[in-house]
Amino acid sequence: MREEISDMSEDDETGERARWAPDLSKIRSDDSDSGPGPPVGDSPPPFSDQVLENVLENVLEFLTSRRDRNAASAVCRSWYRAEAQTRRELFIGNCYAVTPHRAIERFRSIKSVVLKGKPRFADFNLVPHGWGANFHPWVKSLGAAYRNLERICLKRMSVTDNDLTIIADSLPLFKDLILICCEGFSTLGLAVIAERCRHLRVLDLIEDYVEDEEDEVVDWISKFPETTTSLESLVFDCVGCPFNFEALERLVARSPSLRQLRVNHHVALEQLRRLMARAPQLTHLGTGTFRSEAGFGEVDPNLDLVSAFGASKSLVCLSGFRDIESEFLPSIYSVCANLTSLNFSYANLTAEELIPVIRQCHNLQTFWVLDTVGDEGLRAVAETCRNLRELRVFPLDATEDSDGSVSDIGLQLISEGCRKLRSILFFCQRMTNAAVITMSKNCPDLVVFRLCIMGRHRPDRTTGEPMDAGFGAIVMNCKKLTRLSVSGLLTDKAFEYIGRYGKLVRTLSVAFAGDSDLGLRYVLEGCTRLQKLEIRDSPFGDTSLISGLPFYYNMRFLWMSSCNLSMRGCREVARDKPNLVVEVIRDWASLEEEEGEETEMVEKLYLYRSLAGPRTDAPTFVKIL
């Protein structure tokens, strides 16, 4: 997935706490900011204490970090009350971790809600359709309790048109709606938001699935107010259906505060030029289709794209570039020097096409690209973008037997040229320990290291050895690492390194890797701040699952699919930890109870902590133990 929003990064979450054996009736859940509520029988404070609480509330108003606020609320009863009174943003990392009623009962003055639903592996079609994460029970409660709510950000949630109508009708001051990897709504719901939310500033639809039949598409763009709008950001590049371009052009013209605009693939370069002329103040632009309406190889003589980009002096972020015709790339040269973010992850470019552009992007800090640029393209990035902080290299073809164009050579070049790198996602088919070790030494400030070797159990391509030494070097030398994805041929030694040195790792993803149950045990016992553990297609079984019993209360969730788990092992976890929710997700073909169920292999296990207990909306293919 290519979600382009920094504050919804999987790493930007609470969760740094020492491990302990809690009483779940009192635990503070990092899955939400809601907490368990004050002790039973708590009475209002005396007058003198009330004065102190008023002073404390004034101080806490300046505390913005969720982690700091969670810590403050745990000091004592009066701090707990004061923190709840001054909390303005509610973050819930798992919509099933707490009930809406419990969250609302504690926090009465919320203006912003961030809510997450399905596990991240839903991005890879590993969570069946209809699994859950419905927004409806939440929006009903939020609409009734928070009349001053201004902002809602949802990720991997199921959102219906009716839910969007509730937002529009029950929240008179509503301003910001951000939907990331959501599904279930259509242009009808978007039309309601555009028409009825009169103070709308942000409508960002990022990697969503918008469900519209061809004959049911609604002209939602034309529903925005005909007067001057407050719109600051409009992102709809994931909306696949056509729209009223003339209405969009008028909307852009009467939105003087608009800074971010990302359009879908129905916008060609001639239309893009018209939009840019209407909004020279844009700082973030998603181009849609980067080709001419005249057809492939033809150029409209009236298309003066160079002047359009030359007049857009505020641009710092460019994305889009779908169905790109590379002969139009020189038109963006005039803005390259100012760019801090460039997203070519939908542009099928060769190294020869990329190099003239990237050579002018000296201030680039974030760069996303397809692996079609090859190692030579990455060489140009390394030689030019010395201030690069984040790099993502996506595969054009993500199948295991594809011929990837980037390799250890490109990774090593990046590490030698971009030493300020903080985050990297790198898909490849071939890798060496030497290249990964070099990166660990050249980029010691890495916070995120995600190396995805797409072929199963691929060793070091030059020595044939496991990739243990490379990943071991990453956790040893990158002391700030909080997120790690591992792949390739790995033995228990790699997981021993991770457990011994990965003390700040909060998110660990494992794919097609592992040697025995001992490897997972090293991780569970050693990574003391681990919050999210995702494992697929690995040999770990019941023994390793049960070995984690002392630690699951301190984790947000555990996902295991296509491993060696049985129903018996999952039931043992459920019996030992009754306040954890243990979900066994079956394939549609195996819904019927079978004889010998205890020894039945479990295809998917989703284990998470919750103050709300087992959910009531589980579909038939989900068995809660």
Side-chain angles (χ1 to χ4, degrees):
M1 296 303 293
R2 306 171 190 181
E3 56 270 29
E4 297 177 83
I5 180 165
S6 60
D7 64 348
M8 287 304 302
S9 165
E10 292 287 344
D11 307 297
D12 185 21
E13 296 164 2
T14 54
E16 291 194 17
R17 298 180 298 113
R19 294 201 169 191
W20 54 303
D23 176 354
L24 256 287
S25 66
K26 300 178 181 178
I27 188 173
R28 286 196 48 76
S29 172
D30 286 340
D31 295 320
S32 73
D33 299 318
S34 57
V40 176
D42 190 22
S43 58
F47 177 75
S48 59
D49 288 349
Q50 184 63 57
V51 173
L52 292 176
E53 283 196 18
N54 291 340
V55 174
L56 181 59
E57 287 179 12
N58 288 329
V59 173
L60 290 178
E61 287 282 2
F62 296 97
L63 202 61
T64 57
S65 165
R66 290 195 302 270
R67 190 174 296 121
D68 291 343
R69 279 192 162 272
N70 285 346
S73 67
V75 171
C76 64
R77 186 173 299 171
S78 63
W79 281 55
Y80 182 94
R81 283 192 297 262
E83 193 281 320
Q85 290 295 324
T86 58
R87 178 87 62 140
R88 299 293 177 260
E89 177 177 313
L90 179 63
F91 173 90
I92 299 175
N94 178 355
C95 64
Y96 292 120
V98 66
T99 63
H101 173 76
R102 188 167 198 162
I104 290 167
E105 186 68 22
R106 177 177 174 193
F107 299 109
R108 304 299 180 88
S109 303
I110 294 298
K111 292 188 175 183
S112 172
V113 172
V114 179
L115 185 62
K116 296 186 178 184
K118 297 176 186 177
R120 192 185 69 90
F121 272 8
D123 297 346
F124 303 96
N125 298 319
L126 294 180
V127 178
H129 179 73
W131 174 82
N134 299 307
F135 183 48
H136 189 66
W138 279 95
V139 73
K140 284 198 306 181
S141 300
L142 295 174
Y146 298 138
R147 298 289 291 176
N148 293 327
L149 191 65
E150 297 179 355
R151 180 178 184 267
I152 294 177
C153 180
L154 307 176
K155 190 171 189 181
R156 301 190 189 97
M157 298 286 291
S158 180
V159 183
T160 66
D161 290 337
N162 184 44
D163 297 335
L164 298 181
T165 301
I166 294 174
I167 291 175
D169 291 344
S170 60
L171 303 175
L173 301 180
F174 190 71
K175 297 178 180 177
D176 301 352
L177 179 62
I178 303 168
L179 303 179
I180 306 169
C181 303
C182 293
E183 62 182 5
F185 62 96
S186 71
T187 53
L188 177 61
L190 298 180
V192 172
I193 292 292
E195 183 175 19
R196 302 183 193 175
C197 297
R198 311 299 288 185
H199 305 285
L200 197 65
R201 293 182 310 194
V202 175
L203 179 57
D204 287 355
L205 310 173
I206 302 169
E207 297 287 345
D208 299 318
Y209 178 64
V210 183
E211 302 175 0
D212 264 308
E213 297 295 335
E214 187 173 346
D215 58 346
E216 297 176 352
V217 175
V218 176
D219 182 8
W220 62 282
I221 292 287
S222 67
K223 300 298 182 180
F224 282 93
E226 290 297 333
T227 57
T228 300
T229 76
S230 304
L231 207 58
E232 298 176 6
S233 178
L234 179 60
V235 173
F236 64 98
D237 50 345
C238 64
V239 181
C241 57
F243 66 95
N244 186 337
F245 177 77
E246 287 71 25
L248 176 63
E249 190 174 16
R250 293 193 301 269
L251 174 62
V252 169
R254 65 179 187 272
S255 302
S257 298
L258 191 65
R259 294 294 181 270
Q260 175 169 249
L261 177 64
R262 283 165 45 193
V263 296
N264 69 11
H265 67 281
H266 291 284
V267 175
L269 288 177
E270 287 82 357
Q271 295 168 314
L272 181 68
R273 180 186 60 80
R274 289 163 58 182
L275 292 174
M276 294 174 70
R278 296 284 192 176
Q281 77 279 6
L282 287 175
T283 59
H284 295 63
L285 177 63
T287 66
T289 296
F290 208 73
R291 56 179 168 78
S292 171
E293 287 180 317
F296 184 78
E298 300 180 22
V299 179
D300 182 346
N302 297 317
L303 178 58
D304 188 3
L305 208 58
V306 174
S307 297
F309 276 100
S312 301
K313 300 186 182 302
S314 299
L315 279 179
V316 295
C317 175
L318 275 180
S319 61
F321 300 100
R322 297 169 188 261
D323 299 325
I324 190 169
E325 291 183 0
S326 58
E327 60 264 34
F328 292 108
L329 279 176
S331 63
I332 73 170
Y333 287 173
S334 60
V335 299
C336 284
N338 293 330
L339 291 181
T340 59
S341 177
L342 179 60
N343 184 348
F344 277 154
S345 62
Y346 290 103
N348 187 351
L349 297 175
T350 64
E352 292 73 20
E353 294 166 333
L354 171 70
I355 289 174
V357 178
I358 209 67
R359 290 292 187 194
Q360 303 181 58
C361 299
H362 296 279
N363 293 314
L364 213 57
Q365 296 185 17
T366 301
F367 184 49
W368 295 11
V369 69
L370 284 177
D371 63 358
T372 54
V373 301
D375 292 331
E376 282 305 305
L378 296 182
R379 180 190 302 275
V381 174
E383 292 173 352
T384 307
C385 307
R386 300 293 184 176
N387 291 318
L388 198 66
R389 301 298 198 276
E390 178 184 350
L391 173 66
R392 298 192 185 190
V393 181
F394 296 97
L396 178 65
D397 180 0
T399 57
E400 293 180 37
D401 55 354
S402 63
D403 295 325
S405 301
V406 297
S407 68
D408 52 286
I409 297 172
L411 185 75
Q412 184 160 335
L413 289 168
I414 289 292
S415 74
E416 292 170 350
C418 307
R419 300 194 175 220
K420 297 179 181 178
L421 205 63
R422 301 290 183 272
S423 175
I424 185 168
L425 169 62
F426 198 90
F427 283 86
C428 65
Q429 289 284 1
R430 305 175 300 281
M431 187 51 57
T432 65
N433 282 301
V436 181
I437 292 170
T438 300
M439 170 151 280
S440 76
K441 294 177 179 178
N442 290 337
C443 305
D445 292 329
L446 276 172
V447 176
V448 177
F449 183 78
R450 300 162 67 189
L451 176 58
C452 302
I453 305 172
M454 290 180 288
R456 298 184 184 220
H457 314 298
R458 293 279 175 90
D460 183 309
R461 75 172 181 89
T462 58
T463 67
E465 295 292 319
M467 292 296 299
D468 300 346
F471 286 105
I474 289 291
V475 291
M476 279 189 271
N477 296 328
C478 303
K479 306 295 185 183
K480 301 175 183 178
L481 197 71
T482 62
R483 185 173 184 183
L484 175 65
S485 296
V486 300
S487 54
L489 181 62
L490 298 176
T491 71
D492 291 339
K493 191 67 177 176
F495 294 96
E496 182 180 4
Y497 287 138
I498 294 170
R500 181 180 300 174
Y501 299 105
K503 299 305 182 183
L504 296 184
V505 172
R506 297 202 303 268
T507 301
L508 176 62
S509 302
V510 180
F512 309 108
D515 202 15
S516 72
D517 286 328
L518 186 60
L520 183 54
R521 185 171 180 175
Y522 284 137
V523 169
L524 291 169
E525 293 179 353
C527 297
T528 54
R529 298 193 179 183
L530 192 63
Q531 285 289 293
K532 295 179 286 186
L533 179 56
E534 312 166 321
I535 305 171
R536 61 170 296 187
D537 297 274
S538 296
F540 308 125
D542 291 346
T543 301
S544 57
L545 178 67
I546 294 169
S547 72
L549 285 172
F551 313 114
Y552 293 142
Y553 275 149
N554 296 282
M555 293 170 57
R556 177 176 297 176
F557 71 78
L558 167 67
W559 170 278
M560 297 180 71
S561 59
S562 299
C563 296
N564 293 329
L565 300 178
S566 73
M567 190 66 77
R568 178 182 289 112
C570 296
R571 287 192 186 279
E572 184 168 341
V573 173
R575 281 193 297 266
D576 190 87
K577 301 296 182 186
N579 290 303
L580 288 178
V581 178
V582 181
E583 293 192 8
V584 172
I585 304 173
R586 303 182 177 191
D587 294 330
W588 284 99
S590 61
L591 292 182
E592 297 295 330
E593 297 290 335
E594 301 176 1
E595 293 184 8
E597 186 192 39
E598 291 299 299
T599 59
E600 175 190 347
M601 298 307 292
V602 170
E603 174 61 23
K604 299 180 180 76
L605 169 69
Y606 183 43
L607 180 155
Y608 56 92
R609 62 184 183 208
S610 174
L611 297 171
R615 60 188 175 115
T616 58
D617 65 346
T620 55
F621 55 84
V622 172
K623 187 179 185 66
I624 299 180
L625 304 183

